Structure formats: C-alpha cells, structure tokens
Amino acid sequence: NRERARTKLLVDSEIIGISVLNLIGQTIESWKGNFNEREFSIPLRKAPGVYIVSLITTNGFVNKKIIIE
C-alpha cells in the first residue's frame, strides 16, 4: 500500500520527530511533535524504492529502512 506505511517503534524513549529520507540523505517528509504510541503509521505517497525512517528521540536517533514496492 503506497499510501500508508506502518512500522513499530524500536525505542522506549520519547519521540519528538520523524523524518523520511531517500538513500542519498535528502529529507522527503518530516513531522514534529510527541509520538507516544508504540506503533504508528505515516502517510507515504512515494515511488517504489528504499527509504530511511529516522526517529528523533530524547536519547538520539533511530533509523529504520523501509521498502515500498
């Protein structure tokens, strides 16, 4: 489904931002705020390919690779 990507959080700290980057490091989308859920979905209307979801937390960054087919 190209309209929403669902992933589970891998951190126990507070998330203060989420960014989606392409493989050369360009920011495609970003959201700021408090994300208190252990699972979230983000709208991704992107071309098929590999992207990096970067979670910005109070303790640093967590990156997760996603593949859109």
Side-chain angles (χ1 to χ4, degrees), residues 24-55:
I24 59 173
Q26 296 171 319
T27 301
I28 305 297
E29 300 269 352
S30 64
W31 300 268
K32 300 216 184 272
N34 282 337
F35 302 92
N36 296 322
E37 302 294 323
R38 299 274 314 147
E39 186 173 309
F40 65 95
S41 62
I42 54 177
L44 285 180
R45 293 175 184 87
K46 303 295 168 220
V50 179
Y51 298 88
I52 304 297
V53 176
S54 181
L55 305 175

Side-chain angles (χ1 to χ4, degrees), residues 3-65:
E3 295 200 10
R4 293 195 79 74
R6 181 174 284 284
T7 187
K8 291 187 179 178
L9 301 181
L10 304 175
V11 295
D12 289 328
S13 56
E14 179 183 355
I15 295 174
I16 55 177
I18 301 170
S19 294
V20 177
L21 306 115
N22 62 19
L23 286 182
I24 59 173
Q26 296 171 319
T27 301
I28 305 297
E29 300 269 352
S30 64
W31 300 268
K32 300 216 184 272
N34 282 337
F35 302 92
N36 296 322
E37 302 294 323
R38 299 274 314 147
E39 186 173 309
F40 65 95
S41 62
I42 54 177
L44 285 180
R45 293 175 184 87
K46 303 295 168 220
V50 179
Y51 298 88
I52 304 297
V53 176
S54 181
L55 305 175
I56 305 155
T57 74
T58 53
N59 293 329
F61 293 86
V62 175
N63 296 313
K64 182 172 179 150
K65 178 172 68 171

